[in-house]
Amino acid sequence: MKKKVAVVFGGRSVEHEVSVITGLQVIENIDKEKYDVIPIYINKEGKWLTGDALLDFENFKNDNLKGLKEIILTSIYNDNKIYLHPEKIGLFSKKLIDNIDVVFPALHGTNGEDGTLQGVFELLNIPYVGGSVLGSAVGMDKIMMKSVFKAYELPMVDYIWFFRRKWDENKEEIIKEAEEKLGYPVFVKPANLGSSIGISKATDREKLKEAVEIAIRYDRKIIIEKGVENPREINCAVLGYDDKIKTSVCEEPVGWQDLLSYEDKYIKSNSKSGKGDRRIIPADLKDNIKEEIESLAKKAFMAVDGRGVARIDFLVDKDENIYVNEINTLPGSISYYLWEPAGITFKDLINELIEIAMEVHREKNKNMYSYDVDLFKQIDIKKKSIKS
């Protein structure tokens, strides 16, 4: 019997549009012989919607999303299913739209990639693809991510960070700290965002001020990173769960040094291989550099309790020093193109991700969630103490 997979996409995020693209790519490439797909679209107002109109990308292009039903989710904890109900029930309307066996989140950025959505599915006790609440949250917050990587002694560029409030109160203090500790050039980023949105390169004091003013529009926490001179960017994906993990081939994005824009990432970078394209796959690396990157990718993945798939981005300087730049958990990066050289198609990758989700869910349900002790009889609420 086919399992029912809900692909959730859209969301209240500046990365809404790319999330729609990711969701429809997953729906297009999922194994239809193994799974029935239920599309769930979260619009920019935060409404959860489903309907066949979501399956056609042209409807998004033409703003022609008609006949969609607004839904709410419920579950029976031991049933391991989610039930979709109409948000508003009329006298003759169906009380149940469908049920779901597993969820494939495809929401980029805020409220989707940061552990928020994952927490919903944890509470519903439903299998879901990709990182845990913890792994997603740490992977999304660049400051927390770097703190974890530092604890695991992973190599990183120097950085400072601060709250938006501090910038408003004392810009000069932050600028002085950045200049003394990092110098120029630097990259300024919102702590919680992806797709290059809000990120700028600064080569002097005035550009640094401009870069921070852009970044603080998107987050209350800002990070400033030391720029590496003429670096190569090398990316490597990791797939698996716990210590059963493997690495993909490495890629080298071409022409990124001045910072890839949102358009560069999602429109211009469709080329998949060969020199002169937007990506070189596999990257031309010495064996020792390739092996070190693969090892660091696995360590970074395990450091955030990774599961499913994630892409880890590296910088390699002219002296061949390697720095971990960041980890992009699913759905920030499905990275199917990094697995294709190993014979793993997009369809195969989706299958494996769903299988990992089911395995993680089985493992979770081995945990004990009750502890039999007659605590109520030991507590006097009025005295706010436990009888010894």
Side-chain angles (χ1 to χ4, degrees), residues 226-246:
K226 183 178 180 65
V228 178
E229 185 179 354
N230 298 320
R232 298 174 68 187
E233 181 183 352
I234 305 295
N235 303 329
C236 180
V238 178
L239 175 67
Y241 169 53
D242 282 354
D243 56 356
K244 296 190 297 183
I245 56 178
K246 56 188 175 185

PDB file of all heavy atoms in Angstrom, residues 226-246:
ATOM      1  N   LYS A 226      35.288  37.706   9.060  1.00  0.00           N
ATOM      2  CA  LYS A 226      36.498  38.119   8.366  1.00  0.00           C
ATOM      3  C   LYS A 226      36.513  37.533   6.964  1.00  0.00           C
ATOM      4  O   LYS A 226      36.207  36.354   6.758  1.00  0.00           O
ATOM      5  CB  LYS A 226      37.729  37.628   9.125  1.00  0.00           C
ATOM      6  CG  LYS A 226      39.073  38.062   8.531  1.00  0.00           C
ATOM      7  CD  LYS A 226      40.224  37.565   9.385  1.00  0.00           C
ATOM      8  CE  LYS A 226      41.566  37.998   8.797  1.00  0.00           C
ATOM      9  NZ  LYS A 226      41.727  39.466   8.825  1.00  0.00           N
ATOM     10  N   GLY A 227      36.815  38.342   5.982  1.00  0.00           N
ATOM     11  CA  GLY A 227      36.909  37.857   4.610  1.00  0.00           C
ATOM     12  C   GLY A 227      38.218  37.118   4.388  1.00  0.00           C
ATOM     13  O   GLY A 227      39.255  37.499   4.929  1.00  0.00           O
ATOM     14  N   VAL A 228      38.169  36.053   3.600  1.00  0.00           N
ATOM     15  CA  VAL A 228      39.360  35.291   3.245  1.00  0.00           C
ATOM     16  C   VAL A 228      39.834  35.768   1.877  1.00  0.00           C
ATOM     17  O   VAL A 228      39.028  35.929   0.947  1.00  0.00           O
ATOM     18  CB  VAL A 228      39.052  33.774   3.205  1.00  0.00           C
ATOM     19  CG1 VAL A 228      40.284  32.990   2.777  1.00  0.00           C
ATOM     20  CG2 VAL A 228      38.555  33.306   4.567  1.00  0.00           C
ATOM     21  N   GLU A 229      41.132  35.993   1.747  1.00  0.00           N
ATOM     22  CA  GLU A 229      41.684  36.534   0.501  1.00  0.00           C
ATOM     23  C   GLU A 229      41.631  35.496  -0.621  1.00  0.00           C
ATOM     24  O   GLU A 229      42.190  34.410  -0.511  1.00  0.00           O
ATOM     25  CB  GLU A 229      43.133  36.983   0.727  1.00  0.00           C
ATOM     26  CG  GLU A 229      43.745  37.671  -0.490  1.00  0.00           C
ATOM     27  CD  GLU A 229      45.170  38.127  -0.231  1.00  0.00           C
ATOM     28  OE1 GLU A 229      45.631  38.002   0.927  1.00  0.00           O
ATOM     29  OE2 GLU A 229      45.815  38.587  -1.186  1.00  0.00           O
ATOM     30  N   ASN A 230      40.943  35.850  -1.703  1.00  0.00           N
ATOM     31  CA  ASN A 230      40.852  35.004  -2.905  1.00  0.00           C
ATOM     32  C   ASN A 230      40.582  33.534  -2.585  1.00  0.00           C
ATOM     33  O   ASN A 230      41.329  32.646  -2.995  1.00  0.00           O
ATOM     34  CB  ASN A 230      42.146  35.115  -3.727  1.00  0.00           C
ATOM     35  CG  ASN A 230      42.386  36.516  -4.227  1.00  0.00           C
ATOM     36  OD1 ASN A 230      41.455  37.202  -4.649  1.00  0.00           O
ATOM     37  ND2 ASN A 230      43.646  36.954  -4.175  1.00  0.00           N
ATOM     38  N   PRO A 231      39.514  33.239  -1.861  1.00  0.00           N
ATOM     39  CA  PRO A 231      39.264  31.850  -1.483  1.00  0.00           C
ATOM     40  C   PRO A 231      38.560  31.068  -2.591  1.00  0.00           C
ATOM     41  O   PRO A 231      37.968  31.639  -3.497  1.00  0.00           O
ATOM     42  CB  PRO A 231      38.320  31.995  -0.290  1.00  0.00           C
ATOM     43  CG  PRO A 231      37.512  33.212  -0.634  1.00  0.00           C
ATOM     44  CD  PRO A 231      38.458  34.138  -1.364  1.00  0.00           C
ATOM     45  N   ARG A 232      38.649  29.762  -2.491  1.00  0.00           N
ATOM     46  CA  ARG A 232      37.783  28.885  -3.272  1.00  0.00           C
ATOM     47  C   ARG A 232      36.647  28.463  -2.343  1.00  0.00           C
ATOM     48  O   ARG A 232      36.878  28.151  -1.172  1.00  0.00           O
ATOM     49  CB  ARG A 232      38.538  27.635  -3.736  1.00  0.00           C
ATOM     50  CG  ARG A 232      39.702  27.921  -4.653  1.00  0.00           C
ATOM     51  CD  ARG A 232      40.488  26.648  -4.935  1.00  0.00           C
ATOM     52  NE  ARG A 232      39.712  25.687  -5.737  1.00  0.00           N
ATOM     53  CZ  ARG A 232      40.127  24.444  -6.006  1.00  0.00           C
ATOM     54  NH1 ARG A 232      41.291  24.013  -5.521  1.00  0.00           N
ATOM     55  NH2 ARG A 232      39.372  23.638  -6.740  1.00  0.00           N
ATOM     56  N   GLU A 233      35.408  28.447  -2.853  1.00  0.00           N
ATOM     57  CA  GLU A 233      34.317  27.866  -2.085  1.00  0.00           C
ATOM     58  C   GLU A 233      34.142  26.428  -2.548  1.00  0.00           C
ATOM     59  O   GLU A 233      34.036  26.156  -3.749  1.00  0.00           O
ATOM     60  CB  GLU A 233      32.998  28.614  -2.272  1.00  0.00           C
ATOM     61  CG  GLU A 233      31.883  27.983  -1.437  1.00  0.00           C
ATOM     62  CD  GLU A 233      30.521  28.635  -1.617  1.00  0.00           C
ATOM     63  OE1 GLU A 233      30.434  29.678  -2.274  1.00  0.00           O
ATOM     64  OE2 GLU A 233      29.541  28.080  -1.094  1.00  0.00           O
ATOM     65  N   ILE A 234      34.133  25.513  -1.602  1.00  0.00           N
ATOM     66  CA  ILE A 234      33.916  24.103  -1.885  1.00  0.00           C
ATOM     67  C   ILE A 234      32.751  23.629  -1.019  1.00  0.00           C
ATOM     68  O   ILE A 234      32.732  23.883   0.184  1.00  0.00           O
ATOM     69  CB  ILE A 234      35.167  23.251  -1.580  1.00  0.00           C
ATOM     70  CG1 ILE A 234      36.396  23.789  -2.326  1.00  0.00           C
ATOM     71  CG2 ILE A 234      34.905  21.784  -1.918  1.00  0.00           C
ATOM     72  CD1 ILE A 234      36.307  23.685  -3.840  1.00  0.00           C
ATOM     73  N   ASN A 235      31.799  22.957  -1.643  1.00  0.00           N
ATOM     74  CA  ASN A 235      30.627  22.460  -0.923  1.00  0.00           C
ATOM     75  C   ASN A 235      30.573  20.943  -0.993  1.00  0.00           C
ATOM     76  O   ASN A 235      30.904  20.346  -2.019  1.00  0.00           O
ATOM     77  CB  ASN A 235      29.345  23.038  -1.519  1.00  0.00           C
ATOM     78  CG  ASN A 235      29.332  24.554  -1.513  1.00  0.00           C
ATOM     79  OD1 ASN A 235      29.919  25.179  -0.634  1.00  0.00           O
ATOM     80  ND2 ASN A 235      28.673  25.154  -2.486  1.00  0.00           N
ATOM     81  N   CYS A 236      30.121  20.341   0.104  1.00  0.00           N
ATOM     82  CA  CYS A 236      30.022  18.888   0.178  1.00  0.00           C
ATOM     83  C   CYS A 236      28.770  18.540   0.978  1.00  0.00           C
ATOM     84  O   CYS A 236      28.523  19.139   2.033  1.00  0.00           O
ATOM     85  CB  CYS A 236      31.267  18.306   0.851  1.00  0.00           C
ATOM     86  SG  CYS A 236      31.279  16.505   0.998  1.00  0.00           S
ATOM     87  N   ALA A 237      27.979  17.596   0.497  1.00  0.00           N
ATOM     88  CA  ALA A 237      26.757  17.203   1.198  1.00  0.00           C
ATOM     89  C   ALA A 237      26.982  15.918   1.991  1.00  0.00           C
ATOM     90  O   ALA A 237      27.854  15.107   1.669  1.00  0.00           O
ATOM     91  CB  ALA A 237      25.617  16.998   0.204  1.00  0.00           C
ATOM     92  N   VAL A 238      26.172  15.766   3.035  1.00  0.00           N
ATOM     93  CA  VAL A 238      26.214  14.573   3.881  1.00  0.00           C
ATOM     94  C   VAL A 238      24.804  14.011   3.962  1.00  0.00           C
ATOM     95  O   VAL A 238      23.834  14.769   4.071  1.00  0.00           O
ATOM     96  CB  VAL A 238      26.738  14.904   5.291  1.00  0.00           C
ATOM     97  CG1 VAL A 238      26.742  13.662   6.184  1.00  0.00           C
ATOM     98  CG2 VAL A 238      28.146  15.491   5.220  1.00  0.00           C
ATOM     99  N   LEU A 239      24.698  12.693   3.934  1.00  0.00           N
ATOM    100  CA  LEU A 239      23.406  12.017   3.944  1.00  0.00           C
ATOM    101  C   LEU A 239      23.427  10.908   4.981  1.00  0.00           C
ATOM    102  O   LEU A 239      24.381  10.131   5.041  1.00  0.00           O
ATOM    103  CB  LEU A 239      23.110  11.422   2.560  1.00  0.00           C
ATOM    104  CG  LEU A 239      21.849  10.570   2.390  1.00  0.00           C
ATOM    105  CD1 LEU A 239      20.601  11.423   2.563  1.00  0.00           C
ATOM    106  CD2 LEU A 239      21.852   9.903   1.009  1.00  0.00           C
ATOM    107  N   GLY A 240      22.385  10.842   5.814  1.00  0.00           N
ATOM    108  CA  GLY A 240      22.296   9.750   6.766  1.00  0.00           C
ATOM    109  C   GLY A 240      21.693  10.153   8.091  1.00  0.00           C
ATOM    110  O   GLY A 240      20.979  11.146   8.194  1.00  0.00           O
ATOM    111  N   TYR A 241      22.052   9.391   9.134  1.00  0.00           N
ATOM    112  CA  TYR A 241      21.455   9.565  10.456  1.00  0.00           C
ATOM    113  C   TYR A 241      22.407   8.959  11.481  1.00  0.00           C
ATOM    114  O   TYR A 241      22.990   7.891  11.245  1.00  0.00           O
ATOM    115  CB  TYR A 241      20.093   8.883  10.495  1.00  0.00           C
ATOM    116  CG  TYR A 241      19.452   8.745  11.851  1.00  0.00           C
ATOM    117  CD1 TYR A 241      19.287   9.846  12.682  1.00  0.00           C
ATOM    118  CD2 TYR A 241      18.995   7.523  12.307  1.00  0.00           C
ATOM    119  CE1 TYR A 241      18.687   9.731  13.925  1.00  0.00           C
ATOM    120  CE2 TYR A 241      18.383   7.387  13.546  1.00  0.00           C
ATOM    121  CZ  TYR A 241      18.236   8.500  14.354  1.00  0.00           C
ATOM    122  OH  TYR A 241      17.647   8.373  15.587  1.00  0.00           O
ATOM    123  N   ASP A 242      22.561   9.617  12.621  1.00  0.00           N
ATOM    124  CA  ASP A 242      23.522   9.185  13.642  1.00  0.00           C
ATOM    125  C   ASP A 242      24.910   9.081  13.009  1.00  0.00           C
ATOM    126  O   ASP A 242      25.345  10.004  12.352  1.00  0.00           O
ATOM    127  CB  ASP A 242      23.085   7.871  14.290  1.00  0.00           C
ATOM    128  CG  ASP A 242      21.975   8.073  15.308  1.00  0.00           C
ATOM    129  OD1 ASP A 242      21.627   9.236  15.581  1.00  0.00           O
ATOM    130  OD2 ASP A 242      21.440   7.070  15.816  1.00  0.00           O
ATOM    131  N   ASP A 243      25.582   7.938  13.174  1.00  0.00           N
ATOM    132  CA  ASP A 243      26.906   7.789  12.577  1.00  0.00           C
ATOM    133  C   ASP A 243      26.876   6.987  11.281  1.00  0.00           C
ATOM    134  O   ASP A 243      27.920   6.655  10.724  1.00  0.00           O
ATOM    135  CB  ASP A 243      27.882   7.144  13.571  1.00  0.00           C
ATOM    136  CG  ASP A 243      27.390   5.803  14.080  1.00  0.00           C
ATOM    137  OD1 ASP A 243      26.268   5.398  13.730  1.00  0.00           O
ATOM    138  OD2 ASP A 243      28.131   5.157  14.848  1.00  0.00           O
ATOM    139  N   LYS A 244      25.671   6.698  10.776  1.00  0.00           N
ATOM    140  CA  LYS A 244      25.533   6.012   9.484  1.00  0.00           C
ATOM    141  C   LYS A 244      25.405   7.084   8.400  1.00  0.00           C
ATOM    142  O   LYS A 244      24.311   7.379   7.919  1.00  0.00           O
ATOM    143  CB  LYS A 244      24.319   5.086   9.488  1.00  0.00           C
ATOM    144  CG  LYS A 244      24.404   3.947  10.486  1.00  0.00           C
ATOM    145  CD  LYS A 244      23.297   2.932  10.282  1.00  0.00           C
ATOM    146  CE  LYS A 244      21.935   3.520  10.506  1.00  0.00           C
ATOM    147  NZ  LYS A 244      20.838   2.511  10.368  1.00  0.00           N
ATOM    148  N   ILE A 245      26.514   7.693   8.040  1.00  0.00           N
ATOM    149  CA  ILE A 245      26.480   8.829   7.128  1.00  0.00           C
ATOM    150  C   ILE A 245      27.504   8.651   6.016  1.00  0.00           C
ATOM    151  O   ILE A 245      28.490   7.922   6.152  1.00  0.00           O
ATOM    152  CB  ILE A 245      26.738  10.158   7.872  1.00  0.00           C
ATOM    153  CG1 ILE A 245      28.058  10.124   8.644  1.00  0.00           C
ATOM    154  CG2 ILE A 245      25.583  10.479   8.817  1.00  0.00           C
ATOM    155  CD1 ILE A 245      28.402  11.409   9.348  1.00  0.00           C
ATOM    156  N   LYS A 246      27.240   9.334   4.898  1.00  0.00           N
ATOM    157  CA  LYS A 246      28.156   9.294   3.762  1.00  0.00           C
ATOM    158  C   LYS A 246      28.202  10.671   3.130  1.00  0.00           C
ATOM    159  O   LYS A 246      27.275  11.478   3.280  1.00  0.00           O
ATOM    160  CB  LYS A 246      27.709   8.252   2.740  1.00  0.00           C
ATOM    161  CG  LYS A 246      26.281   8.436   2.216  1.00  0.00           C
ATOM    162  CD  LYS A 246      25.843   7.253   1.370  1.00  0.00           C
ATOM    163  CE  LYS A 246      24.379   7.363   0.949  1.00  0.00           C
ATOM    164  NZ  LYS A 246      23.905   6.179   0.231  1.00  0.00           N
TER     165      LYS A 246
END
